[in-house]
Amino acid sequence: MRYFDHVATNPLLPEVLDAMMPYFKEQFGNPLSPYDLGIAAKTAIEDARAQVAALVNAKAGEIVFTSSGAEANNFALKGIALAKQQSGNHIITSKAEHHSIMNTARSLEKLGFVVTYIPVDKYGLVDPKDVEKAIIKDTTVISIIHASSEVGTIEPIKEIAALAKAHNVTLHVDSVAAVGAIPVDVAALGVDLMSMTAHQFYGPKGAGALYIRGGQRILPLIYGGIQENGRRAGTENVPAIVGMGKAAALAKRDLAIRTQHVTRLRDRLIDVIGKVESVHLTGHPHNRLPGHASFVVEYIEGEGMLLMLQAKDIVAASGSACTSKALKASPVLISMGIPSSMAHGSLVFSMGIGNTEEDVEAINEELPKIIRRLREISPFGKSGWGKSEPEATH
Amino acid sequence: MYSKKLMDHFTNPRNVGEIPDADGVGMEGNPTCGDTMKLFIKVHDDRIVDAKFQTFGCGAAIAVSSMITEMAKGKTLSEALTITKESVADALDGLPPQKMHCSNLGADALRKAIEDYRGRLAGAPAAG
């Protein structure tokens, strides 16, 4: 199988699984237990914490393990909004966020918080000036996605962090798609909180982390015992955390090689597919994730393309309505001003270290044929999209 | 997610294309998910002698379109009007629940094509 859906998840590296195995078996202790078995588990978690911290240039004490990137996002936004509720009830985020920020923001609106959703430009970029304009006296937290898994665009986090600091507002970044894919340095960026997840850098599912700058006050999402310094209760998922640590160490060691490899594959794919008639690259042409190539294909729909690609042993993703359980076109694409008719033809190829040039050539050969075939079936495109725009009833 | 039969109709759709001198044309769309189907029929002696389609939509939408043209061909107009969303879905060995509404446009497009044909016979302006 030619796997091009690394934004969905990555395969586990064998070295990572090896590091995890003892904690599924003989090292099964509870990290809170005072005897050797517990201490070994506790030590393993603290080692992993140092490894994850090193990947983003944080201090170990600033990393809190969670069960996922989504939990880290929920924890950050709710935890800061609630902790700073006495100073204000205004939150700023963007229209290009992942569901785990978007829906958390909506849930906070129901609790009485006021949320401003900053628009993005046609590349999916947030303009820091818009963020600054949105800041009011009551603003307590800004949450911006670091890099979009849907369109690959990398946001100007450093600029946003500088103005958040100037206005004394806490900044959270959702770096789930960025950490492990590009160099990320919390100190250089100047962010206060940052979400990440292990399975985006060849670690296991079930482990995520939130970087919380030292001294930053936050309310827990999960109350209970004193795990994670009282910031996240629940017996730790020791094997997954150990796996995240190992994966972080390998990501730090190999980042440059990995980036170079997937960038070459991405550029080759964009070079060929981007030239197919009525196919448009989505997201920023240069300032994008190294292994990320996303398109909208006019006149046809994404799910059909995915099914035909799969018949050729190629797997990819789409933000089309038909592929989503909600049956709605991707809000991120819509926020970029892409008409919903076109957003239905969304395709996302995300590359990983296991992909080869041969894999990319397979897409470059098969996809144009698939597009041609589906356009033959489509009622649109022959005389221009506008003219055949569906006069849908219902 | 999809049955073998549905995948067959998606991969090798029957009756794709336009009938330039069609006797009736029906267009049906779902504005939420964007699926759109255009169905062309040729009628002789109150019987559908040919049917073709063009569809924008997911695998299910294309398979439904292919299946409805197969089901409609050879039927009298009143027989064709008894085809329902359920009977199309059954003929494809079932549709996933979330596709039942959004991609199952065939029966409605066929009904509109027949209405268009009857409207033309009555001398009313063609619809669809």
Side-chain angles (χ1 to χ4, degrees), chain B residues 50 60 74 122:
Chain B
D50 198 10

Side-chain angles (χ1 to χ4, degrees), chain A residues 299-301 303-304 307-308 321-322 325 327 341 344 373-374 376-380 382 385 388 390 392-394, chain B residues 1-2 10 13 16 27-29 31-36 53-60 62 98-99 101-102 112:
Chain A
Y299 315 126
I300 56 176
E301 188 279 325
E303 193 213 69
L307 289 170
M308 287 194 169
C322 298
K325 286 267 182 273
L327 298 175
S341 53
H344 293 308
R373 175 79 183 116
L374 287 169
E376 280 166 13
I377 301 175
S378 173
F380 303 133
K382 279 106 189 162
W385 177 273
S388 331
T393 54
H394 248 266
Chain B
M1 172 169 144
Y2 289 142
F10 165 68
V16 173
M27 190 140 162
E28 183 64 21
T32 317
C33 63
D35 285 1
T36 304
F53 79 92
Q54 292 177 325
T55 291
F56 169 95
C58 63
I62 289 169
Q98 79 270 24
K99 301 282 183 182
H101 178 65
C102 100
K112 283 191 172 178

Side-chain angles (χ1 to χ4, degrees), chain A residues 35 61 66 84 90 186 198 206 222 245 294 305 338 341-342 355 369:
Chain A
Y35 38 84
T66 64
K84 295 179 80 177
H90 183 236
V186 289
I222 301 174
S294 53
M305 288 189 273
I338 293 170
S341 53
M342 231 190 256
N355 289 127
K369 287 193 241 168

Side-chain angles (χ1 to χ4, degrees), chain A residues 119-134:
Chain A
V120 293
D121 71 6
K122 62 176 177 174
Y123 298 126
L125 277 173
V126 172
D127 185 341
K129 284 198 224 77
D130 289 340
V131 177
E132 185 159 37
K133 270 187 256 165

Side-chain angles (χ1 to χ4, degrees), chain A residues 136-391:
Chain A
I136 55 173
K137 179 175 66 60
D138 281 340
T139 310
T140 55
V141 55
I142 300 169
S143 181
I144 300 290
I145 195 160
H146 193 159
S148 167
S149 60
E150 279 193 66
V151 297
T153 301
I154 300 170
E155 299 294 345
I157 297 302
K158 205 171 170 174
E159 288 81 350
I160 297 169
L163 60 89
K165 195 174 178 190
H167 290 270
N168 198 23
V169 176
T170 304
L171 176 67
H172 165 252
V173 287
D174 169 6
S175 302
V176 164
V179 171
I182 55 173
V184 173
D185 180 327
V186 289
L189 286 171
V191 301
D192 300 304
L193 299 103
M194 175 183 278
S195 300
M196 50 201 129
T197 194
H199 73 105
Q200 288 292 327
F201 48 88
Y202 307 97
K205 294 149 191 76
L210 182 64
Y211 156 78
I212 308 168
R213 181 199 288 281
Q216 175 68 52
R217 209 169 84 79
I218 188 166
L219 290 189
L221 186 67
I222 301 174
Y223 289 89
I226 58 154
Q227 293 90 355
E228 301 297 293
N229 252 333
R231 287 177 151 182
R232 201 276 186 182
T235 300
E236 299 89 337
N237 185 352
V238 181
I241 290 170
V242 168
M244 185 172 191
K246 181 69 182 178
L250 295 173
K252 187 174 161 65
R253 188 191 73 190
D254 297 342
L255 190 61
I257 311 164
R258 289 181 187 181
T259 305
Q260 200 185 8
H261 176 69
V262 294
T263 303
R264 203 173 61 238
L265 299 182
R266 174 199 73 185
D267 291 347
R268 174 72 188 140
L269 185 73
I270 291 177
D271 203 35
V272 174
I273 301 303
K275 288 198 184 95
V276 177
E277 198 191 339
S278 300
V279 172
H280 314 278
L281 183 75
T282 57
H284 200 279
H286 312 297
N287 194 15
R288 62 186 300 126
L289 288 171
H292 194 288
S294 53
F295 307 94
V296 284
V297 181
E298 288 192 77
Y299 315 126
I300 56 176
E301 188 279 325
E303 193 213 69
M305 288 189 273
L306 293 188
L307 289 170
M308 287 194 169
L309 283 167
Q310 200 187 341
K312 298 291 175 191
D313 219 24
I314 298 162
V315 292
S318 169
S320 94
C322 298
T323 51
S324 77
K325 286 267 182 273
L327 298 175
K328 279 189 185 151
S330 150
V332 174
L333 295 176
I334 301 299
S335 72
M336 289 161 58
I338 293 170
S340 66
S341 53
M342 231 190 256
H344 293 308
S346 133
L347 269 187
V348 182
F349 295 95
S350 45
M351 289 114 212
I353 52 177
N355 289 127
T356 62
E357 278 172 36
E358 200 194 347
D359 291 337
V360 171
E361 292 316 318
I363 300 174
N364 287 344
E365 189 180 326
E366 296 299 337
L367 184 57
K369 287 193 241 168
I370 291 170
I371 292 171
R372 220 173 302 136
R373 175 79 183 116
L374 287 169
R375 281 182 180 163
E376 280 166 13
I377 301 175
S378 173
F380 303 133
K382 279 106 189 162
S383 49
W385 177 273
K387 208 177 165 196
S388 331
E389 187 74 33
E391 302 159 42

